[in-house]
Amino acid sequence: MGPPAWPSPVSSTAHTDSDFMTERNGSFFHLHLVSDSTGETLITVARAATAQYDSVSAIEHVYPLVRTQKQLERVLVEIEESPGIVLYTLLEGPLTVRLEAKCQEFGVPCMSILGPVLRLLQSYLGAESNPRVGAQHELNAEYFRRIDALNFTMLHDDGQNTDEFEDADVVLLGISRTSKTPTSIYLANRGVKTGNYPLVPGVPLPSHLERLQKPLVVGLFASPERIVQIRQNRLLGLRADRTDDSYIDRHAVAEEIAFSRKLFVRNNWPIIDVTRRSIEETAAAVLALLAERRRHPEQTS
């Protein structure tokens, strides 16, 4: 397989100090992310850091699978063309040396994301690391556990195959637009088999779902205003004309939420308010509940 198909590099041109300062002190800056693997770790860390700055935006240049000097040279051309911050996760010594030397020559900051962590581990463990590119993506038991969880979750989405919910690790319940499906998929990517079921007022919950023993059952809800907003946006996206429908009527939605919360309380299921939570934050809350349940299995009813 050839090198990744990044934009073709163009002839390098000189950048003056004033050009660099205008970009850096303006409303944007260039952020170069160089990885010898998929770049997922690097992107996550970079976005978590840049999200702390409201007045400036990062223009991301992502270069995954950089494993040869030829591939690195193409990256260096683009860094010189659009100078900015360079963050990298490269484990091959020659590549690291070349990247850092050229960044110093260009006058741009350059830092390894993994370097400080590896040095800390080495200091604490008293052992040298054994660099392996993409080690976290090996086809090991953990990888196949995640694939199995994804398969299960897709087959048990939106109330499908509820008779198999007892085999799940987590079951999410909630009315329409409480982020059940995306949260389920996120959990599955963490190796958690997840089923979800939509609650509809007037439609009884299948009795066997109230008797689930193995999975952690979690109720999701949001404020009426938030649910109405999401549903209206969805209808706009679908170009559906349901303006008089109870689907987006605030009072009707409030009754749906009240109905769902009474069900959660009656069954003593933990409840998560997703009104202001991202999918990642909701999933983190579910994982915390699951970890607590596994630490104290004797409390499982």
Side-chain angles (χ1 to χ4, degrees), residues 49-103:
T50 56
Q52 309 307 312
Y53 295 87
D54 296 329
S55 60
V56 65
S57 300
I59 300 176
E60 291 183 357
H61 304 262
V62 183
Y63 315 98
L65 304 175
V66 178
R67 298 178 179 178
T68 68
Q69 288 289 345
K70 183 178 180 180
Q71 291 171 331
L72 181 59
E73 289 305 315
R74 298 177 65 186
V75 174
L76 293 173
V77 169
E78 295 198 30
I79 293 174
E80 186 175 17
E81 283 296 310
S82 304
I85 295 175
V86 178
L87 302 178
Y88 68 88
T89 50
L90 298 176
L91 295 180
E92 291 292 332
L95 295 179
T96 299
V97 171
R98 175 67 174 167
L99 176 62
E100 292 187 343
K102 292 299 290 185
C103 285

Side-chain angles (χ1 to χ4, degrees), residues 101-156:
K102 292 299 290 185
C103 285
Q104 185 174 5
E105 178 184 322
F106 299 152
V108 299
C110 176
M111 189 180 79
S112 166
I113 292 299
L114 291 178
V117 179
L118 289 173
R119 287 193 293 272
L120 178 63
L121 288 171
Q122 180 179 329
S123 174
Y124 183 79
L125 299 174
E128 292 284 345
S129 63
N130 180 26
R132 289 180 297 148
V133 174
Q136 72 271 39
H137 301 298
E138 286 186 349
L139 303 184
N140 53 19
E142 172 63 20
Y143 175 84
F144 288 107
R145 185 171 72 89
R146 289 194 292 117
I147 296 301
D148 187 36
L150 280 167
N151 286 333
F152 181 93
T153 299
M154 297 305 292
L155 290 172
H156 299 83

Side-chain angles (χ1 to χ4, degrees), residues 121-275:
L121 288 171
Q122 180 179 329
S123 174
Y124 183 79
L125 299 174
E128 292 284 345
S129 63
N130 180 26
R132 289 180 297 148
V133 174
Q136 72 271 39
H137 301 298
E138 286 186 349
L139 303 184
N140 53 19
E142 172 63 20
Y143 175 84
F144 288 107
R145 185 171 72 89
R146 289 194 292 117
I147 296 301
D148 187 36
L150 280 167
N151 286 333
F152 181 93
T153 299
M154 297 305 292
L155 290 172
H156 299 83
D157 178 47
D158 202 28
Q160 298 182 79
N161 303 310
T162 61
D163 55 319
E164 299 173 356
F165 272 20
E166 189 64 47
D167 296 326
D169 299 311
V170 169
V171 172
L172 302 179
L173 302 179
I175 66 171
S176 170
R177 304 299 108 189
T178 48
S179 304
K180 297 183 298 299
T181 293
T183 302
S184 296
I185 294 173
Y186 188 95
L187 289 169
N189 196 46
R190 297 289 297 273
V192 179
K193 292 182 179 179
T194 310
N196 72 76
Y197 189 89
L199 299 178
V200 180
V203 178
L205 186 72
S207 59
H208 66 276
L209 295 188
E210 297 193 63
R211 298 194 300 270
L212 292 173
Q213 294 296 316
K214 175 181 174 290
L216 168 70
V217 182
V218 179
L220 306 181
F221 80 97
S223 69
E225 294 76 15
R226 180 59 174 162
I227 295 294
V228 169
Q229 179 187 37
I230 296 174
R231 289 181 178 182
Q232 287 176 332
N233 290 336
R234 181 169 186 266
L235 292 179
L236 285 174
L238 296 173
R239 296 183 179 179
D241 184 15
R242 294 177 58 175
T243 54
D244 298 325
D245 201 299
S246 60
Y247 184 71
I248 54 174
D249 178 78
R250 188 193 178 286
H251 295 292
V253 170
E255 290 179 0
E256 287 187 60
I257 296 169
F259 159 78
S260 67
R261 296 195 65 176
K262 287 178 183 177
L263 176 67
F264 303 152
V265 171
R266 185 176 75 231
N267 288 279
N268 198 31
W269 291 328
I271 305 173
I272 297 176
D273 182 354
V274 302
T275 303

